[in-house]
Amino acid sequence: MSTRPGVYAAPSPDGIALMDIRTGRGQWRFLDPVGARLWQTITDGATPATAIDDLTAYWRSRGADPAQVRSDLTALADDLERADLLHRTAPAAPPGRTEIRFATPVPVSGAQQLAGHVGLFAALLLLRLLPIRIAIAGARAATRLPGRAALPQEAEAAFTAVRRAARLWPGRAACLEESLAAHFAAALTGHRVRWVIGARFIPQGAHAWIEAGTAIIGQDETDRVWPYIPALQVERSNGNSPPFATTTTHMGEALPRM
């Protein structure tokens, strides 16, 4: 099974989240463990018919109604095939040990604040007017600017500068805009951060953030439930990985969980 550019995965014991950035702002598809096993079996090389037969036999041995299982699996496989998602994805980096640093105001120099305004303008322009794949290309281009890896406090300064700049812009800058803007702002001041987009399953959701070393930067203490599983990581050291979305669909809910 070939790799499909523009589709990425965030795997978890609770299922798998597939991100498709080939059009528009991107889309998340959440599969529960049963749907995830079907997707994995097919992308490992089995035909949909073989995967459905094998999984139907497995669930029949566990006492499930084989006719219902087959019907649900067939519907899911057809849906994923129509969406062109039955392809192996780019490998996601496994989540490492991280420290979550909650957003607190830190001192920001004039140059850092200017970078915050420029970074926010660039992020809003890319994300609101162009397909997300262009924004990701821009983030990857920023990693080629001269500079060194940011210390956590330097990444916090970039994030603070973006938040202050956002007060002067109309509308709300959500996590996607803020994190990309902070990525740009850090790059403009000679520092590199890691831009990450990921998903969680309980409850389902997607989020974007920046990291410096092992520190997750700028989280709101009352706003986010961790852990999120990375699907996209953009940084200089290891090339890049994957993106974001605006809609979610939970597949395979009628099937028993593994």
Side-chain angles (χ1 to χ4, degrees):
M1 186 68 63
S2 62
T3 299
R4 177 67 68 192
V7 180
Y8 305 94
S12 160
D14 297 306
I16 194 166
L18 301 175
M19 301 179 293
D20 185 353
I21 62 159
R22 290 171 292 181
T23 59
R25 283 178 59 87
Q27 183 171 347
W28 285 102
R29 299 294 297 273
F30 286 85
L31 307 181
D32 70 6
V34 174
R37 183 167 175 178
L38 175 68
W39 179 87
Q40 187 68 62
T41 302
I42 294 173
T43 59
D44 281 345
T47 65
T50 299
I52 291 168
D53 286 344
D54 291 346
L55 290 174
T56 298
Y58 170 81
W59 284 109
R60 181 175 186 174
S61 71
R62 301 288 294 269
D65 177 5
Q68 183 63 55
V69 171
R70 180 177 294 278
S71 174
D72 290 340
L73 289 173
T74 300
L76 176 56
D78 289 345
D79 186 67
L80 292 174
E81 188 168 16
R82 283 193 298 271
D84 196 23
L85 293 175
L86 290 179
H87 297 269
R88 187 179 299 279
T89 65
R97 298 183 63 181
T98 54
E99 168 200 1
I100 298 174
R101 296 171 72 107
F102 295 114
T104 55
V106 299
V108 174
S109 69
Q112 288 170 325
Q113 191 57 65
L114 177 61
H117 282 284
V118 174
L120 181 61
F121 176 77
L124 293 175
L125 180 69
L126 289 169
L127 290 170
R128 294 184 179 178
L129 299 181
L130 298 169
I132 190 172
R133 66 180 183 275
I134 305 301
I136 293 165
R140 289 172 174 161
T143 66
R144 294 193 285 272
L145 292 175
R148 59 170 175 78
L151 299 173
Q153 55 267 38
E154 292 167 335
E156 286 178 323
F159 185 84
T160 296
V162 167
R163 281 239 163 139
R164 290 179 181 175
R167 297 172 189 166
L168 304 177
W169 289 83
R172 174 178 175 268
C175 64
L176 188 62
E177 291 86 359
E178 277 189 344
S179 60
L180 180 57
H183 174 79
F184 287 146
L188 289 170
T189 54
H191 302 120
R192 297 193 300 272
V193 298
R194 184 182 308 113
W195 185 42
V196 188
I197 300 170
R200 71 180 180 209
F201 291 81
I202 303 174
Q204 286 181 4
H207 184 37
W209 65 94
I210 61 168
E211 296 177 358
T214 61
I216 294 170
I217 304 299
Q219 301 311 295
D220 291 320
E221 195 163 0
T222 59
D223 186 42
R224 294 291 171 187
V225 178
W226 289 82
Y228 283 85
I229 309 300
L232 166 83
Q233 297 188 62
V234 176
E235 61 180 329
R236 185 170 183 171
S237 58
N238 64 356
N240 305 299
S241 351
F244 191 68
T246 53
T247 60
T248 63
T249 305
H250 192 167
M251 310 300 297
E253 288 182 326
L255 293 173
R257 298 177 72 85
M258 292 183 181

